[in-house]
Amino acid sequence: MKTVVTITLASLGLCCGYPLAAEAPKPTLANVAYGPHESQKLDFYQAKSGQPTPLVFFIHGGGWLNGDKAGFNNAGQYLPAGISVVSINYRLLPQAEADKVVPPVKGPLHDAARALQFVRTKAAEWNIDKERIGASGSSAGACSALWLAFHPDMADPQSDDPVARESTRLWCAAVTRAQTSLDPRQMIEWTPNNTYGPHAFGFRGDVAKKLTPFDEFLAKRDTITPWIAEYSPYALVSADDPPVYLFYDTPPAFGKPEKNPVHSANFGVGLAEKLKSLGIEHELVYPGATDVKHADVRQYLIEKLKEPSLRK
C-alpha cells in the first residue's frame, strides 16, 4: 500500500534544508587554490576511511554577489558517515566583470566547474571516490549546483592541462531554495512578480527610460537566447542527467505572485515538471509536500552517495 507523508519544516527542526548544525569542524586543508584568482580557493574536509570516500561539493549562495565558503558549517554532518566535503569560493559577478567575463554569470559557474575538476585530480591524494560526488548549495549556489548537474560534460580529454581533462559530471545534486531558470519570460510565467536574474547577464536597467533591471532583462530577452540556453539550468536538462533533490522552505503558488519570489518553490515545481517528463529521478520537498522520502539535504546526500548500486 502506498504511504503518503506530509512534512512541515518546524516539525523537522530544519534550517535551509539541513538539520541544525553541530559545531563546525576545521578544514583538513584550507584555502587550497584551484585557479589563479584570489577567490578561486576551496576548503577540504577529509572523512577518515580506509576506502575512497564519496564527496559533498558545496557552493555557497549570495546571489553570486556575496557570501563565502567559510559560511558552510555542515561538514560535521557528513564526516561521520564516511563522506568528505569540499566548500568553494569563486569569482563573484563584479570580479567576473572586472576580468571581462561575458556574460558575468559565466565566471562563478565556470569557476565551480573548474573547482570540481581540480578536486578530481586530487582523488588519490585526498582518498576520494571521484565518481561519487554530489553537489549542494543554497540560492545562487543551488543554481550553480544544478547547472553542473545538467550541463554536458566539460572535460577536454585532449587538453595539456590535467585539470581540464577531468569530468564535470555529478553523481547527484541536493539543493535548497534554488533558482532553476534564468529565462525572464519563464520566470514571470511561474511567478509574476519575479525580479531575479538580470544581474547574471549584466543588465542594470535604464533610468532615463524608466526601465528596471528586470524590465531591461525581459525586453532584451530574445537577444540573449544563446546565453539562456547555456546558463539556465532548466534549459540544459536532458534524459541522462543525475538524480536531484529540491528543498524549499515555503509552499508553491505556481503562476501567482509570491512574498519571496527569489526563493519561491515555484522554481522547483517548474523544474520538476520537466524532470518528470524526461524520467529523471527527483524529489521536491516543501511544507505540505507529499511522498517525501528524504526529510533534508543531508539525509538525501548520504543515502545517494553511499548507495550500493552501480550506474552506467
Side-chain angles (χ1 to χ4, degrees), residues 16-298:
C16 297
Y18 277 96
L20 297 178
E23 185 176 351
K26 294 186 181 301
T28 308
L29 297 170
N31 293 316
V32 178
Y34 65 86
H37 194 278
E38 63 180 357
S39 292
Q40 292 170 328
K41 300 281 199 321
L42 60 83
D43 293 340
F44 172 60
Y45 304 79
Q46 187 173 45
K48 295 180 180 179
S49 175
Q51 302 294 326
T53 67
L55 180 90
V56 169
F57 183 84
F58 186 81
I59 309 169
H60 73 76
W64 300 305
L65 293 169
N66 53 59
D68 189 271
K69 59 183 171 55
F72 181 68
N73 63 353
N74 292 303
Q77 298 182 358
Y78 296 103
L79 302 181
I83 297 174
S84 297
V85 176
V86 158
S87 181
I88 73 166
N89 275 351
Y90 48 84
R91 285 172 296 174
L92 302 173
L93 296 180
Q95 295 169 321
E97 289 186 281
D99 284 348
K100 302 188 185 307
V101 177
V102 179
V105 74
K106 179 180 178 179
L109 294 181
H110 278 241
D111 282 4
R114 175 77 181 184
L116 176 59
Q117 291 173 303
F118 173 84
V119 167
R120 283 195 159 110
T121 68
K122 295 292 186 179
E125 181 181 343
W126 292 357
N127 195 34
I128 291 169
D129 180 346
K130 65 165 62 177
E131 296 299 318
R132 291 176 181 256
I133 298 179
S136 189
S138 178
S139 191
C143 185
S144 297
L146 292 177
W147 180 81
L148 284 174
F150 302 145
H151 198 284
D153 201 337
M154 298 172 69
D156 179 2
Q158 308 305 317
S159 176
D160 293 333
D161 178 3
V163 175
R165 292 197 293 266
E166 294 288 344
S167 174
T168 58
R169 296 296 278 167
L170 295 169
W171 186 263
C172 63
V175 297
T176 66
R177 301 183 300 170
Q179 297 89 27
T180 63
S181 174
L182 291 177
D183 180 341
R185 185 179 300 164
Q186 185 172 56
M187 286 189 282
I188 61 171
E189 287 174 358
W190 294 354
T191 308
N193 63 332
N194 175 80
T195 59
Y196 190 81
H199 63 310
F201 299 109
F203 293 117
R204 292 180 170 83
D206 188 326
V207 175
K209 295 181 180 179
K210 297 182 179 180
L211 290 176
T212 67
F214 193 84
D215 289 337
E216 183 185 15
F217 187 22
L218 186 60
K220 296 181 178 178
R221 185 255 184 201
D222 290 345
T223 69
I224 61 163
T225 51
W227 289 353
I228 293 171
E230 173 61 17
Y231 300 111
S232 176
Y234 181 98
L236 291 165
V237 176
S238 57
D240 62 346
D241 288 332
V244 298
Y245 177 92
L246 308 166
F247 183 98
Y248 294 88
D249 48 17
T250 57
F254 198 73
K256 298 179 180 179
E258 290 272 56
K259 289 183 179 179
N260 181 10
V262 172
H263 297 126
S264 171
N266 295 347
F267 278 114
V269 172
L271 177 62
E273 289 180 354
K274 186 169 186 179
L275 297 175
K276 183 178 179 180
S277 72
L278 292 173
I280 298 171
E281 181 185 336
H282 64 282
E283 190 170 347
L284 175 60
V285 177
Y286 52 81
T290 58
D291 296 326
V292 171
K293 301 177 181 66
H294 303 89
D296 55 63
V297 167
R298 176 196 57 83

